[in-house]
């Protein structure tokens, strides 16, 4: 779901798994990071209450109820809140508490890697204790071990990875296969784009025939202008986070710029909804779990991270969310359980499937500030 890698190195895992980053494991992180930064206090037994802030549609609440199974296994009482719709809005809500050394009762949050790097730099995230995370140390896939945003995974543990492309109502727009269709007058008022700048703007660059990884500031700003003109004209119905699912189900839109795994879950409500890989390619990203400063139960948060890195538990999650799994051994489990699922391109994308995709950039420095400012002006109208 949500964005956030920088230059992820494509890696081919057993069979056709292609992921998004580059990789490692030890001490303060998955391969011996530095000794600076505050370590989360995870001392004492795992017990009490664990409050998790998470994105919608990101865990199975039914057949494989991972939360209930974790509670039964540990005795921890989990309060799982789906209160993240986009990165910036969530951070704006949480920052006033973090500035006071508080987390609003949250012990675990899940944000995009680029935002996690910013939060860590501000002193808002704790370093992880890998002595409490043996499953993460052993089972995190090589392709996700060394992101630019957190080279040793000292303060982030990937939750899921995925792709930004088109989610289409095939009964309403069966011919849609291009990012440029977002700007086609035929669909005026029947499309949405994402409030996530690192999704909407680089995908627009792709429509313009520009590689986001090589784009100049002038080209980034030209893409923002293109989006702004489409918003002003009414071409774009609105900008959304995960809440685009409401418009898709209700038929308010023909298609949206959205996140790969969501499409599969939305098919339960309407079989005409499906993820379409644009001919121009996608954006690749990952979201990760973090422990915010002031977390009341870091021990339970790290126990949760370790629990979901058991390949069987992760297979249960992957079966429902259909995002790219960050855990080794999942494909072998799914192959026995459901061979068709084991070949799902949304969970185990091939090099051919992602050949035109780009890695989501941190986009820091002056370039990032200028593009973010321009894009935020478009969002507020």
């Amino acid at each position: 779901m949500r964005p956030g890698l920088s230059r992820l190195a494509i890696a081919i895992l057993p069979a056709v798994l292609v992921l998004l980053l580059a990789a490692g494991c030890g001490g303060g992180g998955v391969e011996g990071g530095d000794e600076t930064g505050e370590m989360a206090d995870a001392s004492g037994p795992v017990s009490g209450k664990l409050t998790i802030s998470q994105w919608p549609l990101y865990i199975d609440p039914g057949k494989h109820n991972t939360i209930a199974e974790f509670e039964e296994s540990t005795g921890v009482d989990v309060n799982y809140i789906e209160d993240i719709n986009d990165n910036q809005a969530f951070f704006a809500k949480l920052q006033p508490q973090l500035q006071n050394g508080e987390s609003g009762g949250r012990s675990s949050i899940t944000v995009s890697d680029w935002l996690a790097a910013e939060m860590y730099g501000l002193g808002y995230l704790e370093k992880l204790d890998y002595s409490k995370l043996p499953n993460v140390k052993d089972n995190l896939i090589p392709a996700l071990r060394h992101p630019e945003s957190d080279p040793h995974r000292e303060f982030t543990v990937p939750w899921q990875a995925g792709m930004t492309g088109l989610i289409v109502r095939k009964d309403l727009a069966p011919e849609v296969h291009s990012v440029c269709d977002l700007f086609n007058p035929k669909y005026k008022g029947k499309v949405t784009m994402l409030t996530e700048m690192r999704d909407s703007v680089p995908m627009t660059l792709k429509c313009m025939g520009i590689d986001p990884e090589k784009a100049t500031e002038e080209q980034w700003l030209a893409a923002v202008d293109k989006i702004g003109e489409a918003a002003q004209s009414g071409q774009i119905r609105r900008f959304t986070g995960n809440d685009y699912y409401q418009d898709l189900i209700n038929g308010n839109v023909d298609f949206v710029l959205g996140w790969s795994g969501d499409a599969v879950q939305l098919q339960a409500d309407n079989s005409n909804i499906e993820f379409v890989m644009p001919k121009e390619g996608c954006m690749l990203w990952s979201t990760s779990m973090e422990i915010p400063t002031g977390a009341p139960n870091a021990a339970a948060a790290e126990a949760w991270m370790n629990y979901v890195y058991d390949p069987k538990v992760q297979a249960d999650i992957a079966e429902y969310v259909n995002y790219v799994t960050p855990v080794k051994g999942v494909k072998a489990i799914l192959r026995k359980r459901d061979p068709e699922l084991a070949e799902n391109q949304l969970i185990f994308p091939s090099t051919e499937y992602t050949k035109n995709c780009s890695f989501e950039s941190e986009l820091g420095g002056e370039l990032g500030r200028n593009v973010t400012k321009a894009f935020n002006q478009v969002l507020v109208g």
Side-chain angles (χ1 to χ4, degrees):
M1 245 162 182
R2 329 354 69 187
L5 307 179
S6 47
R7 182 80 199 165
L8 329 183
I10 291 184
I12 302 176
L13 300 177
V16 293
L17 172 59
V18 170
L19 264 237
L20 331 118
L21 282 179
C25 242
V30 283
E31 255 167 21
D34 64 52
E35 297 304 319
T36 62
E38 292 295 321
M39 185 80 74
D41 182 6
S43 59
V46 176
S47 61
K49 185 173 182 177
L50 170 62
T51 297
I52 299 171
S53 276
Q54 186 57 281
W55 301 76
L57 307 177
Y58 235 11
I59 201 166
D60 187 354
K63 178 183 176 182
H64 300 297
N65 193 324
T66 304
I67 297 168
E69 291 169 356
F70 174 74
E71 289 178 318
E72 183 178 354
S73 173
T74 62
V76 172
D77 178 19
V78 177
N79 181 25
Y80 186 92
I81 309 169
E82 295 179 334
D83 63 342
I84 307 177
N85 186 53
D86 70 44
N87 281 294
Q88 293 198 73
F90 177 69
F91 181 54
K93 177 175 66 174
L94 191 57
Q95 187 175 21
Q97 297 168 317
L98 293 170
Q99 286 176 328
N100 294 322
E102 302 170 356
S103 68
R106 301 169 180 86
S107 294
S108 175
I109 62 174
T110 302
V111 300
S112 294
D113 283 355
W114 66 265
L115 177 57
E118 291 186 9
M119 293 177 68
Y120 184 71
L122 292 168
Y124 293 160
L125 299 179
E126 305 286 3
K127 290 183 70 173
L128 303 171
D129 181 356
Y130 269 79
S131 70
K132 306 293 176 60
L133 301 172
N135 285 345
V136 179
K137 203 168 183 178
D138 292 343
N139 297 328
L140 175 59
I141 62 171
L144 285 170
R145 286 178 179 262
H146 289 306
E148 182 181 336
S149 55
D150 183 10
H152 298 287
R153 289 292 183 189
E154 293 181 285
F155 52 90
T156 61
V157 170
W159 172 255
Q160 300 293 302
M163 297 165 277
T164 301
L166 302 174
I167 304 181
V168 181
R169 280 284 301 261
K170 298 301 290 186
D171 55 331
L172 303 178
E175 66 287 343
V176 166
H177 289 92
S178 170
V179 178
C180 293
D181 287 326
L182 289 163
F183 303 97
N184 187 336
K186 177 179 179 179
Y187 303 109
K188 183 175 182 178
K190 301 293 286 183
V191 301
T192 65
M193 294 189 77
L194 292 164
T195 55
E196 297 285 349
M197 180 271 284
R198 289 164 180 79
D199 285 317
S200 290
V201 181
M203 289 299 283
T204 300
L205 283 168
K206 285 179 172 292
C207 168
M208 298 164 66
I210 299 169
D211 182 350
E213 296 172 22
K214 299 177 181 177
T216 64
E217 181 172 330
E218 182 179 6
Q219 290 171 324
W220 276 94
L221 293 174
V224 173
D225 288 342
K226 183 177 180 69
I227 295 170
E229 292 168 4
Q232 286 290 327
S233 71
Q235 174 71 25
I236 299 171
R237 178 184 177 88
R238 65 188 184 108
F239 294 90
T240 74
N242 264 110
D243 52 327
Y244 54 64
Y245 70 86
Q246 298 169 337
D247 285 329
L248 283 164
I249 292 171
N250 295 335
N252 295 331
V253 294
D254 292 346
F255 63 101
V256 305
L257 190 65
W259 298 306
S260 52
D262 289 353
V264 179
Q265 294 163 64
L266 293 174
Q267 286 172 351
D269 295 289
N270 190 314
S271 61
N272 290 302
I273 296 174
E274 69 177 48
F275 181 79
V276 171
M277 175 64 76
K279 65 181 184 180
E280 300 88 354
C282 70
M283 299 305 297
L284 302 169
W285 50 260
S286 84
T287 54
S288 297
M289 299 174 280
E290 299 86 24
I291 298 177
T293 55
N297 196 346
E302 290 187 339
W304 168 252
M305 293 177 184
N306 194 61
Y307 183 80
V308 298
Y309 265 68
D310 179 303
K312 182 186 179 302
V313 174
Q314 187 66 207
D316 293 343
I317 295 172
E319 184 177 337
Y320 178 78
V321 303
N322 280 245
Y323 278 107
V324 180
T325 177
V327 177
K328 291 189 293 186
V330 172
K331 187 167 189 176
I333 294 171
L334 292 181
R335 186 179 288 117
K336 294 178 181 178
R337 183 186 297 179
D338 184 342
E340 184 176 341
L341 197 62
E343 300 305 320
N344 188 329
Q345 293 277 16
L346 301 186
I347 306 175
F348 307 105
S350 66
T351 49
E352 176 64 22
Y353 188 65
T354 57
K355 64 182 179 182
N356 294 324
C357 293
S358 303
F359 305 109
E360 194 161 62
S361 173
E362 284 186 53
L363 208 66
E366 184 177 2
L367 170 61
R369 288 191 293 273
N370 291 342
V371 176
T372 298
K373 180 180 179 181
F375 185 68
N376 286 343
Q377 290 174 342
V378 170
L379 294 182
V380 299

